[in-house]
Amino acid sequence: QLENMDIINKKRMEIWNKYHEFFKQYEKIITRPYYPSDCKHNAHMYYLLFKTLKERAKFIDFLKENNILSVFHYIPLHSSPAGKKYCKTIGNLDITNQISNTLVRLPMHYKLDEKQMFLIMSACQEFLEGCL
């Protein structure tokens, strides 16, 4: 993959941009990724933020029923077994917990083709249109 780094990164950016443009129409329901205009990103992942854990869970389940794997991103360190044992936190970390509970990652792989992207976005559209 290192030998094809530029090709792979270009493809991942194309996929990221397609997702980003597509989900713009659903900003009343979800929050899209944000990055400052003077910064660059590497299209490492594409995520959506829902308003609640329940909405995110329904979305993940709906995509799974349509044979599309989407996952939540992470468990915050302070909530993990090791974090609880070894870490000390100050405050309640509400924002971290909220993001953890509402973030979902969409398929993001440089080998995603047009047909696969169409199927993913069609399923997302079906779900999100039902939320409007």
Side-chain angles (χ1 to χ4, degrees):
Q1 288 183 351
L2 287 175
E3 292 173 356
N4 294 307
M5 181 177 66
D6 292 336
I7 295 167
I8 291 169
N9 287 341
K10 181 180 180 210
K11 177 66 175 172
R12 290 177 66 89
M13 192 61 74
E14 288 171 5
I15 293 166
W16 195 99
N17 287 330
K18 283 181 186 180
Y19 276 143
H20 204 60
E21 184 61 30
F22 174 77
F23 286 109
K24 185 177 186 178
Q25 64 189 312
Y26 298 110
E27 287 188 316
K28 292 180 182 177
I29 304 165
I30 51 93
T31 301
R32 300 179 305 151
Y34 166 79
Y35 64 95
S37 60
D38 61 334
C39 295
K40 291 184 179 182
H41 65 89
N42 65 358
H44 164 69
M45 68 172 169
Y46 196 86
Y47 66 86
L48 300 174
L49 291 171
F50 284 83
K51 291 182 178 25
T52 67
L53 173 61
K54 185 176 178 180
E55 289 175 2
R56 181 192 73 181
K58 285 181 181 180
F59 180 73
I60 290 172
D61 288 344
F62 182 82
L63 292 184
K64 185 177 180 180
E65 291 168 10
N66 287 276
N67 298 311
I68 299 167
L69 178 64
S70 60
V71 295
F72 63 88
H73 183 59
Y74 70 99
I75 297 171
L77 179 59
H78 71 277
S79 301
S80 71
K84 288 179 180 179
K85 184 175 180 179
Y86 300 111
C87 296
K88 178 181 178 183
T89 59
I90 298 173
N92 57 18
L93 305 176
D94 286 342
I95 294 171
T96 301
N97 293 328
Q98 176 70 16
I99 298 297
S100 174
N101 286 334
T102 60
L103 190 144
V104 60
R105 292 176 65 165
L106 294 175
M108 172 58 88
H109 191 273
Y110 72 94
K111 290 185 179 179
L112 280 176
D113 61 29
E114 291 293 326
K115 181 180 177 184
Q116 291 167 321
M117 288 293 297
F118 176 80
L119 293 172
I120 293 165
M121 291 191 289
S122 294
C124 291
Q125 181 176 22
E126 182 178 345
F127 180 88
L128 295 170
E129 291 289 331
C131 296
L132 290 175

